[in-house]
Amino acid sequence: RDMVSDALRAQLRVLAEHLCPNESPEAAYELLTSMLLRYFEWRLHEAPEDLAQETLARACLKLGGDDGVTLNADNPTGYFWGIARNVAHEHRRRALTRRTEPLETDVRAASTGIEEVESRLALDQTLARLSPGDRDILLRYYGDDDRERLCAELGISEATLRVRVFRIRGRLQTAASVK
């Protein structure tokens, strides 16, 4: 036997006196477990067995600890129900946190996606205000095209290409601010 089960036995003896005086500690454990299961099932928790065991384990650790905590003889079941209520609240909070984090992430991702689409539409509209030649140079300069090949096609040096792109970007910025 381990310490937890010994502590549980001792506390179940006290509970048994109040819950079912004619029952053994084992029967009191079964009764308390079934009551906790009904409680957690009634509160629609996903894992009532786990929560019942968590409640019993916390009670045993608390009552069997060296901190001098003893069971209130006037209302021992109230103490256990308080633990059960706390376990239920903690489980519900953890479940809500798990559900809302991905939702917040999804909302942020969706809003980012919407912002990207809006930005892309604004960029397309602004690019449409440039001349076809300027638009082609700008898109090829920042696209996947080889800049040396672009310079060769235009018959200009790379320095001249950079100056031209700088000026096109200035016109693009002016067009974007006009809207």
Side-chain angles (χ1 to χ4, degrees):
R1 294 185 190 196
D2 58 359
M3 271 181 34
V4 174
S5 64
D6 289 340
L8 178 61
R9 267 188 190 294
Q11 296 308 320
L12 286 176
R13 281 191 184 98
V14 174
L15 268 179
E17 292 172 6
H18 292 281
L19 293 176
C20 40
N22 299 330
E23 299 293 330
S24 68
E26 290 80 10
Y29 171 82
E30 292 299 323
L31 177 64
L32 185 58
T33 301
S34 68
M35 290 168 58
L36 287 169
L37 285 173
R38 284 193 307 269
Y39 173 76
F40 289 122
E41 288 169 351
W42 176 73
R43 294 177 74 79
L44 302 174
H45 287 285
E46 298 164 356
E49 297 87 7
D50 294 342
L51 298 176
Q53 291 304 316
E54 174 72 18
T55 301
L56 291 172
R58 285 188 189 185
C60 287
L61 291 174
K62 186 69 174 171
L63 296 171
D66 296 329
D67 56 3
V69 175
T70 57
L71 190 60
N72 180 354
D74 293 336
N75 189 5
T77 56
Y79 182 80
F80 280 97
W81 288 117
I83 293 173
R85 188 175 49 251
N86 290 341
V87 168
H89 288 306
E90 290 171 13
H91 176 75
R92 190 173 13 268
R93 261 185 263 131
R94 279 193 305 266
L96 286 173
T97 302
R98 282 192 302 266
R99 274 186 251 157
T100 58
E101 284 175 358
L103 179 62
E104 290 171 2
T105 304
D106 292 345
V107 168
R108 274 184 261 142
S111 66
T112 302
I114 292 169
E115 290 168 3
E116 287 177 8
V117 168
E118 289 173 347
S119 296
R120 180 62 192 215
L121 287 172
L123 179 62
D124 287 345
Q125 290 171 349
T126 306
L127 283 172
R129 294 183 184 143
L130 293 174
S131 70
D134 286 349
R135 187 172 46 251
D136 182 54
I137 290 172
L138 194 65
L139 292 175
R140 289 178 64 192
Y141 182 83
Y142 287 108
D144 294 332
D145 274 4
D146 182 23
R147 292 184 182 166
E148 288 180 14
R149 187 174 56 179
L150 181 58
C151 289
E153 287 177 18
L154 296 172
I156 57 176
S157 69
E158 283 192 50
T160 305
L161 178 62
R162 284 193 297 273
V163 169
R164 190 176 280 183
V165 167
F166 177 78
R167 290 178 180 161
I168 294 170
R169 284 180 47 205
R171 288 192 291 275
L172 185 66
Q173 191 171 9
T174 302
S177 64
V178 170
K179 282 191 177 186

